[in-house]
Amino acid sequence: MFRTCLISLSAAIAAASPQLLTSAEAQTPRTVAQPATILPAYAEVAGLILDSPAVLDAQVRSATRIKGPEAANVAPGRIRFYVEADVLALIRAPGAMPMRVGYVVDVPLDARGKVPKLNKRRVLLFARPVTGQAAMIQLTTLDSQHDWSPDLDALVRRVVQEVVAPDAPPAITGLGNAFHVPGTLPGEGETQIFVQTATGAPISLSILRRPGEQRRWAVALGEVVDDAAAPPPRDTLLWYRLACGLPRMLPPTSVESEDPANAATAREDYAFVLQQLGACRR
């Protein structure tokens, strides 16, 4: 969306500092007044981070309002700015980056309908580098600039650690086979559902039914489901992958080899898992 503006404004950052900042380095920000911030939901932050190769802690150095043809497609209630910001820290990055970056952002009007003041504001940026323009970044979504706060900073850093971990759960692409095996007692049985992933790594869901007990379910990241398997803690990357990535219904192909009664039970158990996971609030 911003590519035209980014290219046309490249000359404005030609004088940007050529120094590079690595993720192990940081500048000390000046203390400035920040507007009150509401902590976004975990799912929103995780989605931003997964879609953004670069996550920066930065302080706005200058903000120039963009008008005319380069602002023709701005959504109502928003104002387009070209911003230069000093990078305080790289929370996530594909490599070294300049200590000052330029980018285009469409920000909403403030509560009074006025143009917001961005200068000296400390922000968290979710972005990608611009090919051929080392000092430019492109925000990955319309709301990829967030006002910095200690709580948001801590949440972002925690999610980034989860995302880059060697054992990070992969993206879910669909559902494989599902089957239900009735037990020896009425109301007893187990359902197992195999989850398809972007990397091919195995994920499976198991749901246990016992007479007189509430159904229990667990997720396993491996070929074998052991007794230690459990539901994922809420607001973790595995929870996000399941809550936001699982289809809303068990597809017919997953139970096509099951008899109607067992297929119906498998569908009920899958719906139970979705209910237990809760909504993906993005």
Side-chain angles (χ1 to χ4, degrees):
M1 169 177 154
F2 298 138
R3 184 166 298 275
T4 301
C5 292
L6 290 170
I7 294 173
S8 63
L9 289 167
S10 61
I13 60 152
S17 170
Q19 293 179 287
L20 298 180
L21 185 73
T22 68
S23 56
E25 298 171 327
Q27 300 182 47
T28 302
R30 293 166 290 175
T31 301
V32 296
Q34 292 282 122
T37 58
I38 298 175
L39 191 66
Y42 178 94
E44 179 182 345
V45 174
L48 281 171
I49 290 171
L50 288 167
D51 292 339
S52 305
V55 180
L56 286 63
D57 176 359
Q59 189 167 49
V60 175
R61 185 180 184 88
S62 65
T64 304
R65 183 173 176 178
I66 300 175
K67 301 179 181 180
E70 291 183 328
N73 62 339
V74 176
R78 289 182 178 260
I79 302 296
R80 180 164 293 174
F81 287 94
Y82 169 69
V83 174
E84 287 191 351
D86 294 323
V87 179
L88 306 177
L90 298 182
I91 300 174
R92 184 188 190 193
M97 296 187 68
M99 296 180 67
R100 185 177 302 162
V101 294
Y103 60 95
V104 173
V105 60
D106 292 358
V107 297
L109 299 173
D110 65 19
R112 299 173 299 171
K114 303 294 184 180
V115 177
K117 295 181 180 179
L118 299 181
N119 286 351
K120 298 185 180 180
R121 184 176 293 189
R122 188 174 179 182
V123 293
L124 290 169
L125 305 172
F126 302 86
R128 62 175 65 91
V130 176
T131 303
Q133 300 184 62
M136 288 290 289
I137 59 173
Q138 182 182 24
L139 301 185
T140 50
T141 73
L142 187 63
D143 295 308
S144 286
Q145 174 178 283
H146 282 263
D147 289 321
W148 184 95
S149 73
D151 289 342
L152 180 56
D153 184 88
L155 175 58
V156 167
R157 291 175 185 272
R158 176 167 72 86
V159 177
V160 167
Q161 288 181 341
E162 292 180 280
V163 168
V164 301
D167 59 348
I172 291 171
T173 58
L175 293 173
N177 292 331
F179 59 88
H180 176 75
V181 179
T184 56
L185 299 175
E188 184 180 52
E190 180 177 358
T191 297
Q192 190 162 18
I193 302 168
F194 294 96
V195 179
Q196 298 169 338
T197 66
T199 64
I203 295 180
S204 62
L205 309 172
S206 60
I207 303 93
L208 293 175
R209 292 173 175 245
R210 296 288 184 265
E213 298 180 9
Q214 184 178 2
R215 275 178 290 183
R216 294 185 292 116
W217 77 281
V219 57
L221 304 179
E223 299 288 352
V224 180
V225 180
D226 57 33
D227 293 337
R234 190 174 179 86
D235 291 350
T236 61
L237 186 59
L238 179 55
W239 170 85
Y240 170 85
R241 290 300 199 191
L242 296 171
C244 302
L246 286 174
R248 295 299 91 190
M249 295 180 63
L250 193 65
T253 53
S254 293
V255 290
E256 60 186 357
S257 62
E258 290 284 276
D259 66 51
N262 288 342
T265 302
R267 284 191 288 268
E268 290 176 2
D269 287 344
Y270 182 69
F272 170 74
V273 170
L274 295 181
Q275 185 271 328
Q276 291 292 300
L277 285 167
C280 173
R281 296 185 293 116
R282 293 190 62 175

